[in-house]
Amino acid sequence: MQAILLAGGRIEPDDPFYGLISTETKSMTPICGKPMVQWVLDALSGSKVIEKIFVIGLAEKSELFSKKPLVFLPDQGGIFDNIRFGVEKIVKKSARDETIVVASGDIPALTSEMVDWLGAQIEGDSYDIYYSTVTRQVMETSFPGSNRSYVHFKDIEVCGGDINIINSRVFNQANDLWKRLSESRKSPMKQAALIGFSTLILVLLKAITLDGAAKRICRKLKIRGKALRVPYAEMAMDVDKLHQLEIMKAFLSEKVC
């Protein structure tokens, strides 16, 4: 299995990190002696299911270390464009559909065991997308005060994970809806609105389950998808705000001391 590591994104003036750290790219923010993205790369390269890692948004001069082969690709300007670009490069080399792990460079608490767990979820299945979700209980037990946003379904409250699995064939029918969904990934309500008004109403009324919503979304996108209930809060604990950076520094300092 190949991996795409999304590590680009310059720190702009409206970013909470702007002017407070010396790096131009958020993924290179130092945490406990190494760049944030290196923590994620350690988890991916130590996983038994990962063969090669395509790093998007950083140059080879970044001096990242990996046990697995690395391919550095330039930032394409957006999350959707970066994922698509990485998928195209992977498929071009293999000339066949590929199952690919896509991870954000700002989940430094990720471990190889978690990546292995994720890879094991596709055994015997043939879904196009496996989307990670973490319940409020799991997240707040591990990281109280993280202030994540949750979607309230009939049966569960979840936030989205930042490491997922896709099959390259999903881009065969990719359209503008895909791009709009990607751009609104931090706003579950905007995503629901794009999927359809009826789905949005059901979510707002808490009248639909997580699996029910997943089925509706997949029908709209004309794909087969599966929402995974992830037991690891670390897979959804991204560093978007300064207080989340402090949480990660405290959490990871315990691991390295």
Side-chain angles (χ1 to χ4, degrees):
M1 189 181 300
Q2 315 296 326
I4 291 174
L5 178 53
L6 302 172
R10 293 175 62 87
I11 300 176
E12 302 295 342
D14 60 346
D15 193 290
F17 291 83
Y18 186 79
L20 297 178
I21 58 176
S22 59
T23 63
E24 294 182 353
T25 305
K26 187 179 75 171
S27 68
M28 291 298 290
T29 301
I31 297 181
C32 299
K34 57 185 175 183
M36 177 161 57
V37 69
Q38 182 65 63
W39 289 93
V40 186
L41 187 53
D42 290 347
L44 292 173
S45 69
S47 168
K48 294 179 290 187
V49 302
I50 301 299
E51 301 172 16
K52 183 182 292 186
I53 303 165
F54 291 72
V55 181
I56 301 182
L58 294 175
E60 193 166 352
K61 65 181 181 180
S62 301
E63 298 183 351
L64 299 176
F65 170 78
S66 174
K67 299 175 184 177
K68 304 289 174 66
L70 292 180
V71 177
F72 290 89
L73 299 174
D75 196 315
Q76 300 300 299
I79 294 172
F80 174 85
D81 294 325
N82 282 334
I83 295 174
R84 181 167 191 150
F85 186 64
V87 168
E88 288 175 348
K89 293 297 182 182
I90 291 172
V91 172
K92 184 177 181 180
K93 287 180 176 294
S94 65
R96 67 174 186 272
D97 285 336
E98 291 276 0
T99 300
I100 303 164
V101 172
V102 180
S104 173
D106 61 355
I107 47 172
L110 185 72
T111 68
S112 298
E113 291 75 18
M114 296 171 194
V115 181
D116 290 340
W117 178 90
L118 183 64
Q121 304 312 300
I122 69 172
E123 293 179 3
D125 288 335
S126 58
Y127 289 95
D128 299 312
I129 291 181
Y130 297 80
Y131 184 72
S132 300
T133 65
V134 177
T135 67
R136 178 190 286 271
Q137 180 180 4
V138 169
M139 177 58 70
E140 295 189 352
T141 297
S142 297
F143 300 107
S146 59
N147 294 332
R148 290 301 311 270
S149 297
Y150 298 91
V151 181
H152 302 252
F153 293 99
K154 183 178 181 179
D155 59 336
I156 199 170
E157 279 185 86
V158 298
C159 61
D162 290 271
I163 176 169
N164 303 287
I165 293 178
I166 64 172
N167 189 285
S168 59
R169 61 176 171 262
V170 301
F171 286 93
N172 295 337
Q173 66 266 9
N175 52 39
D176 184 57
L177 180 60
W178 271 107
K179 186 172 184 177
R180 287 183 287 151
L181 283 170
S182 178
E183 291 171 345
S184 64
R185 72 186 185 98
K186 291 298 183 181
S187 175
M189 290 300 99
K190 286 183 179 179
Q191 289 187 332
L194 288 169
I195 293 303
F197 184 73
S198 60
T199 303
L200 173 60
I201 292 297
L202 289 172
V203 172
L204 290 174
L205 294 176
K206 302 179 186 178
I208 189 171
T209 64
L210 173 62
D211 290 337
K215 288 179 181 178
R216 281 175 170 260
I217 292 170
C218 290
R219 281 199 299 268
K220 181 77 172 183
L221 294 174
K222 299 179 181 178
I223 60 171
R224 295 186 69 245
K226 184 176 184 179
L228 298 175
R229 291 164 174 79
V230 174
Y232 305 109
E234 292 88 342
M235 292 170 66
M237 187 57 214
D238 57 5
V239 178
D240 277 339
K241 299 178 176 63
L242 292 176
H243 78 276
Q244 293 167 341
L245 176 60
E246 294 307 313
I247 289 173
M248 278 293 94
K249 285 181 177 179
F251 180 81
L252 292 173
S253 66
E254 294 183 2
K255 298 182 66 174
V256 299
C257 292

